[in-house]
Every structure is written in C-alpha cells, then in structure tokens.
Amino acid sequence: MTNRLPLVAANWKMNGSRASVKELLDGFKQNLPGSDVEVLVCAPAIYIPLAADELAGSAIGLGAQTVSEYAAGAYTGEISVDMLKEYGCRYVIIGHSERRHVFGEANGTVANKFYFAQGNGLKAILCLGEQLQEREAGVTEQVLSEQLDAVIAKAGIAAFTDAVIAYEPVWAIGTGHTATPEQAQEAHSFIRLQIARHDDHIADGIRILYGGSVKADNAAELFSMADVDGGLIGGASLKVNDFLAICQAAR
Ligand code: PEP
C-alpha cells in the first residue's frame, strides 16, 4: 500500500477578520508539526491575499473554499482559478455540503468546477457526503457513488491522480455529532473501492479526508483508521490550540 502523507485542512468558512487571520496564522506557524503532515488553510476569498503574505516562506499551504467553473468574463461575483493561483492558492474545496445544500450546487456544477480547477493547476478537495435522512434510509453508498460518478464522468479518473477527497457526512458538519471511526472507515473504504473500479493505483494513492465535528479529543481515533488520511476541519480550525492538536494527531 502507498504511504499516503496525511493532510489536515482548515476550512474557515465565512468567519474571521484581518486581525483573526493574522492571529490564527501566527499561532499555526509557531507550532507546526513536522513534515510528516501536510497542513493547509482554506481562507475566505477576500483574506487570501493577506493569508498569502502571512504564509510566505511557511510550509502551510493556502487554499480557497470554492471557485468558478468558468475561466474569465461576465460572471459577476465569481472568482477564477487563475485569480486564486495568482495569490498562491494551491488547493480549492469543491462541492462542500454548504455549497451543495445552501447554494444549490448540483452534482453537475460540482463536476464542472472539479474538472476546470483540476485541469488548470489547482488541486481539488472534492467533498462527498450523505444527509441524515439518506443515512437513515440506507442509501449512503448510493449517494456517495452518484456524487463521485458525476465527477468521474466529467473529468475522467486520471484527474484524480493528485486530487483529494473529503468524506463529510452532512449530519456531522458543525453539529458536534462526529461519525464514529468505524462509520468513517466504512465510507472511506467504500469511496476508495469505487475509485479502484476505475484505477487501482489512483485509488491506493488518493488521500481521503474525514470532515464533520473533528475535535482535538476525537481526531487521533478517527485518523487511526486505515482509509482516513487526515481531516477537513471547520469549527476547530478557528482555535489555534485545537487545530494544532488535530494536526499532531494526524502524524
Ligand atoms: C467543514 O466545514 O468542512 C466541517 C467539517 O466543519 P466542522 O468541523 O465544524 O464540522
């Protein structure tokens, strides 16, 4: 099996200020874990230039929380892949559940965004996850397959070579109801198997992060599962010590 480098990504969502961006990044930089964990911060778009300045010369990567599916032009309010790259972003979260369920991004839009970002030099962190009623109805695997298949159909399996997947059960995001390590492992291994149906090598190498109420005190157990390669962290990434403890747990 490939030795996958753990990745811990902060998703600050629509939180913060110039002052808190500086304070958080200062704290992260001072106590970063070693090179055996990759650490990434996905900042609100307007703070990306500030975060890029703060992170200059540091090992912490910079990412965005969404991106346009279009290259440039008359798309009021949108931010393009090239704009993000110009400010040093290397990653972008695609298809976060809040984009899907609050802003109505359907599987087709998510697939277009993944295809465009991944094809133009940003690494996509593709979020997949079922809602509570879907889990209770026993259709979790069907939902995950549909979300994943839409992207594979558009972008092709080769586009996953240096992409990342985040399994984020919607019922666990921001709720304090973390998936059990076993529930996370079951979903992660299912996702890896779906990819292996197309390409074993890509399935073996791709990092699958868990997201959904990861905290300093549950991270180690979640990250100890065979197919959990790190985390996508919302609330706990807004507290320096909590986020750093989660990064340590991924080592
Ligand atoms: C997220 O925003 O992707 C997330 C997992 O949030 P939280 O950690 O707050 O549940």
Side-chain angles (χ1 to χ4, degrees):
M1 195 191 78
T2 309
N3 212 357
R4 297 182 289 267
L5 179 68
L7 171 63
V8 179
N11 174 18
W12 285 346
K13 312 193 189 200
M14 195 176 73
N15 290 298
S17 61
R18 287 180 62 86
S20 74
V21 168
K22 287 185 186 182
E23 201 180 303
L24 286 167
L25 294 182
D26 264 358
F28 293 176
K29 282 189 293 189
Q30 274 168 33
N31 284 296
L32 251 199
S35 56
D36 45 1
V37 185
E38 184 178 352
V39 177
L40 171 71
V41 171
C42 298
I46 197 163
Y47 295 130
I48 284 172
L50 175 63
D53 287 347
E54 293 290 317
L55 291 176
S58 122
I60 302 175
L62 183 59
Q65 300 172 9
T66 185
V67 69
S68 176
E69 65 194 280
Y70 303 108
Y75 302 104
T76 302
E78 292 286 274
I79 294 179
S80 74
V81 165
D82 282 350
M83 292 170 187
L84 294 177
K85 286 193 328 194
E86 194 176 6
Y87 279 93
C89 285
R90 288 191 292 119
Y91 285 90
V92 61
I93 299 171
I94 301 280
H96 189 278
S97 75
E98 288 145 20
R99 300 299 319 168
R100 293 177 186 266
H101 300 301
V102 182
F103 297 102
E105 284 186 14
N107 282 340
T109 303
V110 172
N112 288 345
K113 289 186 172 198
F114 179 99
Y115 172 70
F116 195 77
Q118 199 61 34
N120 289 282
L122 273 185
K123 289 180 205 264
I125 301 176
L126 173 66
C127 298
L128 312 174
E130 80 287 1
Q131 300 184 76
L132 183 60
Q133 63 270 30
E134 293 166 334
R135 175 161 282 265
E136 287 174 349
V139 295
T140 296
E141 292 189 348
Q142 186 190 323
V143 170
L144 297 177
S145 304
E146 283 169 6
Q147 292 175 341
L148 183 60
D149 289 349
V151 181
I152 296 174
K154 171 73 188 181
I157 197 67
F160 283 76
T161 306
D162 64 353
V164 175
I165 290 179
Y167 168 61
E168 297 209 306
V170 180
W171 46 271
I173 299 179
T175 60
H177 299 300
T178 319
T180 65
E182 293 72 26
Q183 283 172 321
Q185 170 58 25
E186 192 179 21
H188 283 226
S189 96
F190 173 77
I191 292 166
R192 204 178 297 285
L193 272 174
Q194 297 312 297
I195 296 175
R197 287 173 51 226
H198 298 269
D199 189 307
D200 275 336
H201 185 67
I202 292 174
D204 195 30
I206 195 164
R207 291 178 293 181
I208 306 180
L209 314 183
Y210 168 78
S213 297
V214 178
K215 306 285 175 215
D217 60 3
N218 61 23
E221 224 191 337
L222 286 159
F223 297 164
S224 71
M225 304 310 281
D227 288 293
V228 178
D229 306 310
L232 181 55
I233 318 298
S237 72
L238 295 164
K239 293 180 191 136
V240 171
N241 289 341
D242 290 12
F243 185 65
L244 288 171
I246 293 168
C247 293
Q248 284 293 346
R251 300 182 79 180

